[in-house]
């Protein structure tokens, strides 16, 4: 929790007041402190859940950024590989199959630690 927060539900619950003269009605003070404790418990749960959710979002964000980087690299590779194809060239299913086969072979080489662009 934040270092500036001095109280929590346990500290409030365990606080002992020394009677001084006629003072306040102890039952009324206890009832009010019970309400404060309930609020603090709710706050502590909310804070813990929020912290966990923020950590999950940060992890997800990091993974998404990594995936974007991977996709940018893949896009650059594809752009380089397809740079020679003219817009007017007809695309046939046979050409698409060749490209898919090349992609699978390149992925297999990458998986074995070989960079096919250096062959």
């Amino acid at each position: 929790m934040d270092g500036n927060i001095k109280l929590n539900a346990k500290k409030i619950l365990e606080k002992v007041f020394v009677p001084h003269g006629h003072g306040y009605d102890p039952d009324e003070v206890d009832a009010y402190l019970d309400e404060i404790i309930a609020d603090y418990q709710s706050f502590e749960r909310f804070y813990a859940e929020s912290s966990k959710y923020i950590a999950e979002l940060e992890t997800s964000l990091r993974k998404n950024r990594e995936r974007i980087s991977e996709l940018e690299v893949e896009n650059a590779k594809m752009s380089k590989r397809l740079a020679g194809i003219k817009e007017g060239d007809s695309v046939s299913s046979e050409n698409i199959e060749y490209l898919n086969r090349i992609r699978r072979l390149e992925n297999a080489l990458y998986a074995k630690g070989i960079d096919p662009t250096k062959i």
Side-chain angles (χ1 to χ4, degrees):
M1 299 264 304
D2 186 356
N4 295 327
I5 298 173
K6 295 180 173 86
L7 297 176
N8 61 31
K10 185 176 182 197
K11 285 181 183 178
I12 295 169
L13 180 63
E14 294 175 351
K15 175 67 176 168
V16 176
F17 292 94
V18 178
H20 182 69
H22 292 13
Y24 296 101
D25 176 13
D27 293 334
E28 186 178 352
V29 171
D30 283 345
Y32 187 67
L33 288 176
D34 288 343
E35 288 180 41
I36 294 171
I37 290 168
D39 281 352
Y40 264 82
Q41 289 170 333
S42 295
F43 171 74
E44 289 167 350
R45 277 192 304 275
F46 175 77
Y47 183 83
E49 291 169 4
S50 296
S51 296
K52 181 181 175 187
Y53 184 63
I54 288 169
E56 290 171 357
L57 288 175
E58 288 173 341
T59 299
S60 177
L61 179 62
R62 180 184 45 77
K63 287 179 181 178
N64 286 336
R65 285 182 176 158
E66 290 171 1
R67 182 65 180 139
I68 287 170
S69 294
E70 292 169 2
L71 291 173
E72 286 172 344
V73 168
E74 185 70 22
N75 186 34
K77 288 178 191 175
M78 291 294 180
S79 294
K80 184 178 177 181
R81 184 165 32 142
L82 300 176
I85 297 177
K86 299 177 196 162
E87 281 187 39
D89 288 348
S90 63
V91 177
S92 69
S93 61
E94 186 177 328
N95 289 344
I96 292 171
E97 182 54 39
Y98 287 142
L99 291 174
N100 284 332
R101 186 171 179 210
I102 290 169
R103 180 181 53 79
R104 286 191 303 271
L105 292 170
E106 285 179 341
N107 286 341
L109 287 171
Y110 280 119
K112 293 183 184 263
I114 301 169
D115 185 353
T117 61
K118 306 232 169 138
I119 294 178

